[in-house]
Amino acid sequence: MALGSIKEAYNVFQQHDFSRSFQLRFLDISVPGIAGEQVKKELVDNNGRYYITTMVVPGRTVQNVDVPYQGFQFKLPGQVSYDSPNPWSINIRTPGDYLVRNALEQLSFQTANDETACGSFNLPCKNNIITIGVLNPKCEIIRAYDLVGVYVQNISEISYNQENMEGTSFTAAFQYQYWRPNTAYQGKDLNTAPSNLDGAFATFANQLQNVNTDCGVGIPTV
């Protein structure tokens, strides 16, 4: 068979498939404190993560050490850096009730509070973790990553425009120390998990069902 033939490429692609840009999921976050619990509640337990639109699988760099010798430059492997990207960002469509935004703002103030000059200034613990997972077409997790030693570094502004009806979004950026593969999630099927899209909408609706509307009734549950 000719190298690079269509038939050979077809067999290879059919066997290994392609990873699509929508097949990355935010699986979990673990940060201590009341604010950390609130972020986990809104992003994971209440499925606010369905509002996340973009994020990345982080990279890793082994930096070079140059060793010159007689007009030649040898390259040696040097220190390791986790900087692609660091901080690690997620883009979030703004929920109408602001619950996710509120939890992230609370976490930011828990990390560094300029009003009290207090916060969590120590090196983050190893169990401060964000876990993300890559899915296959069957919604099984084929690869999961732990971002270790995370803390929230930035919550972006939200831009509003009175001249259109478009939804708003913002980014949350987390600094981390390093990442490691997570084998505990590997092979899990997200289709059979209790967290599903209908449940996400129902959760947010249930939290607001007692709020009065213009018609005097609560927002109906899904």
Side-chain angles (χ1 to χ4, degrees), residues 43 46 57 77 126 143 181:
L43 275 180
N46 290 346
V57 173
K126 290 189 292 184
R143 184 74 166 175

Side-chain angles (χ1 to χ4, degrees), residues 91-113:
N91 191 72
I92 307 171
R93 290 194 180 100
T94 314
D97 55 20
Y98 258 56
L99 290 175
V100 171
R101 173 79 182 198
N102 179 71
L104 288 168
E105 289 176 349
Q106 185 179 359
L107 181 61
S108 179
F109 276 92
Q110 176 181 284
T111 303
N113 191 331

Side-chain angles (χ1 to χ4, degrees), residues 189-212:
D189 187 349
L190 295 190
N191 270 335
T192 61
S195 301
N196 54 61
L197 189 58
D198 290 335
F201 286 112
T203 298
F204 280 96
N206 287 336
Q207 290 178 337
L208 299 178
Q209 63 182 345
N210 295 322
V211 178
N212 290 331

Side-chain angles (χ1 to χ4, degrees), residues 96-148:
D97 55 20
Y98 258 56
L99 290 175
V100 171
R101 173 79 182 198
N102 179 71
L104 288 168
E105 289 176 349
Q106 185 179 359
L107 181 61
S108 179
F109 276 92
Q110 176 181 284
T111 303
N113 191 331
D114 56 297
E115 184 173 343
T116 62
C118 298
S120 302
F121 302 136
N122 56 300
L123 182 67
C125 299
K126 290 189 292 184
N127 56 358
N128 287 26
I129 292 174
I130 289 176
T131 304
I132 58 176
V134 181
L135 309 183
N136 65 15
K138 297 180 180 179
C139 286
E140 298 167 339
I141 300 172
I142 62 170
R143 184 74 166 175
Y145 296 88
D146 284 342
L147 308 184
V148 180

Side-chain angles (χ1 to χ4, degrees), residues 1 6 11 35 37 51 93 100 104 139 167 182 184:
M1 185 180 297
I6 297 298
N11 291 336
E37 294 174 358
Y51 286 94
R93 290 194 180 100
V100 171
L104 288 168
C139 286
N182 181 321

Side-chain angles (χ1 to χ4, degrees), residues 28-96:
D28 201 5
I29 182 170
S30 178
V31 180
I34 296 175
E37 294 174 358
Q38 193 67 21
V39 168
K40 182 179 177 67
K41 174 185 175 183
E42 296 303 336
L43 275 180
V44 180
D45 299 339
N46 290 346
N47 282 321
R49 55 189 165 183
Y50 284 114
Y51 286 94
I52 298 174
T53 58
T54 57
M55 52 187 168
V56 302
V57 173
R60 183 176 186 269
T61 301
V62 178
Q63 299 180 357
N64 289 326
V65 176
D66 293 332
V67 180
Y69 179 75
Q70 294 187 3
F72 187 79
Q73 195 90 290
F74 289 97
K75 301 289 184 179
L76 301 181
Q79 69 181 31
V80 174
S81 61
Y82 294 84
D83 56 0
S84 53
N86 201 354
W88 180 83
S89 297
I90 53 177
N91 191 72
I92 307 171
R93 290 194 180 100
T94 314

